[in-house]
Amino acid sequence: MLSETKLKVLKEISSGFSRDEAIWASGYLAGLAGTSAAVADLPPQQTTHTTAVKKITLVYGTETGNSKKLATELAGVAKKKGIQVKLGDLSQYKPKDLAKEEYFFVVISTQGEGEPPILAKKFYEYIHENELNLSNIKFGVLALGDSTYPQFCKTGEDVDTRFEVLGAERIIPLKRCDIDYKLPETAKDVIMIGPGTGIAPFRSFLWERDATGAEGRNWLFFGDRSFVSDFLYQSEFQDFLKTGALTNLDLAFSRDTAEKVYVQHRLQQKSSEVFQWLEGGASVYVCGAKEPMSKDVEETLLGIIQHEGKRNEEEAKNYLEELELSGRYAKDVY
């Protein structure tokens, strides 16, 4: 039994879990507790070489921040149980350190058509291109993905299968989680950045916000080559403007001006207002091409936070990271 204090802490931490997160966390903790439970069932003379789990490594591979957020929450739960956690980003993890691991847990997302997050690609390729001996490792994998894609959890499935092939012992079954980039509360403001085909989900977002009578403001940045031939869903967005469902609409058609203009340039032009929205609790969603669009947009957002928020480079990165961890900055890029 947990003490009243520990039970209160556990309830506070797990209150924000989705159903899938709660199920996996339950298995995760059960796996950690397994060794301790085994000790309790053994006669005294057989317990000398078996001890409870004291230290684990928990790594995440993320593109939009969901894996990091969930891994951080799980690490908090484990720490409250007295387990030492080494939490790390797979982009910074040294694959050769696998030889030193004992309890190794992975939270990793899948991008597009079954691809690993770009920052976790080095780790993913290393374990698949090398015949490693991982018999020293007890592991578990939480695979995240978007079920609108056929292979939405493929990266996590691949890592889980590969670890087993390389001799690691699976102590928690693979868990697949569908991560939906649902909109925040209806009273919250939303900034949507979706050039080209990246506009598609925001059309649904606006229909949903309009149908539910959401009080929050909606600001859309859209861009493409030409106003005449490439303004997707033009009549719908103009109607949303008329009804007030869409508060602001900023457009960038790169071939219609002497100097090419993209969505990041429109963001920069409205930097003061964009930052006011962020400070007021707005969420930012980016959808479309990974390169160069999403990177250019992120660099522009960082610049806005620096300039308008009077922060240095490191502080601006921390600001954006906090938005990501709190679910207020999400990307679906490909």
Side-chain angles (χ1 to χ4, degrees):
M1 290 290 290
L2 288 175
S3 68
E4 186 174 336
T5 301
K6 289 183 178 180
L7 182 59
K8 181 180 178 181
V9 170
L10 184 58
K11 285 181 176 178
E12 289 175 351
I13 293 173
S14 60
S15 62
F17 281 6
S18 68
R19 180 176 179 275
D20 281 342
E21 291 169 352
I23 291 172
W24 195 87
S26 175
Y28 171 81
L29 295 173
L32 295 179
T35 309
S36 299
V39 173
D41 292 336
L42 291 173
Q45 67 270 22
Q46 292 180 278
T47 64
T48 54
H49 298 294
T50 311
T51 58
V53 177
K54 295 295 184 183
K55 182 180 180 180
I56 67 169
T57 296
L58 177 58
V59 294
Y60 57 85
T62 189
E63 188 81 31
T64 63
N66 287 312
S67 296
K68 181 177 182 178
K69 180 181 179 183
L70 185 52
T72 301
E73 290 173 349
L74 292 172
V77 173
K79 288 177 181 177
K80 294 298 181 182
K81 292 182 69 68
I83 299 170
Q84 184 180 345
V85 181
K86 183 172 74 173
L87 180 65
D89 188 335
L90 281 175
S91 66
Q92 300 174 359
Y93 184 81
K94 297 178 181 178
K96 291 183 179 180
D97 286 348
L98 284 169
K100 307 172 186 176
E101 303 289 359
E102 184 176 4
Y103 291 92
F104 193 80
F105 300 95
V106 183
V107 182
I108 192 166
S109 62
T110 296
Q111 307 305 311
E113 302 300 326
E115 301 169 2
I118 190 168
L119 295 178
K121 193 173 181 180
K122 182 178 178 181
F123 175 86
Y124 179 88
E125 292 178 345
Y126 181 87
I127 64 171
H128 283 87
E129 294 172 359
N130 293 277
E131 293 302 319
L132 310 171
N133 179 4
L134 301 185
S135 58
N136 53 299
I137 289 179
K138 297 175 179 63
F139 78 99
V141 176
L142 173 57
L144 308 185
D146 181 346
S147 61
T148 59
Y149 295 94
Q151 304 185 78
F152 78 106
C153 281
K154 186 177 185 301
T155 298
E157 293 168 351
D158 289 347
V159 171
D160 182 83
T161 299
R162 186 59 177 165
F163 264 60
E164 184 178 44
V165 168
L166 295 176
E169 178 187 353
R170 183 188 296 104
I171 60 173
I172 299 176
L174 171 69
K175 178 62 186 174
R176 301 171 182 83
C177 286
D178 181 13
I179 300 299
D180 188 352
Y181 302 115
K182 285 185 177 178
L183 290 173
E185 298 173 22
T186 57
K188 297 293 186 181
D189 297 335
V190 177
I191 298 174
M192 297 164 282
I193 306 166
T197 56
I199 194 65
F202 300 138
R203 180 189 181 211
S204 300
F205 281 10
L206 285 167
W207 277 113
E208 179 184 334
R209 299 274 279 183
D210 190 38
T212 58
E215 299 172 5
R217 298 173 297 171
N218 306 300
W219 189 349
L220 175 63
F221 288 85
F222 171 71
D224 214 314
R225 294 171 63 89
S226 170
F227 177 92
V228 175
S229 59
D230 302 310
F231 193 168
L232 305 177
Y233 313 116
Q234 177 182 353
S235 59
E236 289 184 30
F237 292 130
Q238 289 175 331
D239 287 341
F240 282 135
L241 274 174
K242 291 176 183 177
T243 63
L246 187 56
T247 310
N248 296 336
L249 174 61
D250 280 84
L251 304 172
F253 294 101
S254 60
R255 300 301 187 271
D256 288 349
T257 54
E259 188 173 333
K260 292 180 181 179
V261 177
Y262 299 102
V263 287
Q264 63 267 24
H265 300 128
R266 297 303 186 207
L267 273 172
Q268 185 62 56
Q269 291 168 0
K270 298 294 180 70
S271 63
S272 177
E273 192 175 354
V274 167
F275 188 69
Q276 288 174 16
W277 278 49
L278 292 178
E279 287 288 272
S283 295
V284 180
Y285 296 90
V286 181
C287 184
K290 180 184 295 183
E291 295 182 353
M293 186 278 296
S294 67
K295 291 185 176 180
D296 290 340
V297 165
E298 186 159 300
E299 285 300 315
T300 301
L301 287 172
L302 286 169
I304 289 172
I305 294 166
Q306 275 188 257
H307 182 263
E308 301 295 339
K310 294 179 170 50
R311 290 169 167 81
N312 61 35
E313 185 177 350
E314 188 64 29
E315 290 169 338
K317 288 180 179 178
N318 291 337
Y319 184 102
L320 197 61
E321 186 174 277
E322 284 300 314
L323 291 184
E324 195 170 17
L325 288 174
S326 64
R328 289 178 51 209
Y329 176 50
K331 297 176 290 184
D332 183 6
V333 294
Y334 40 83

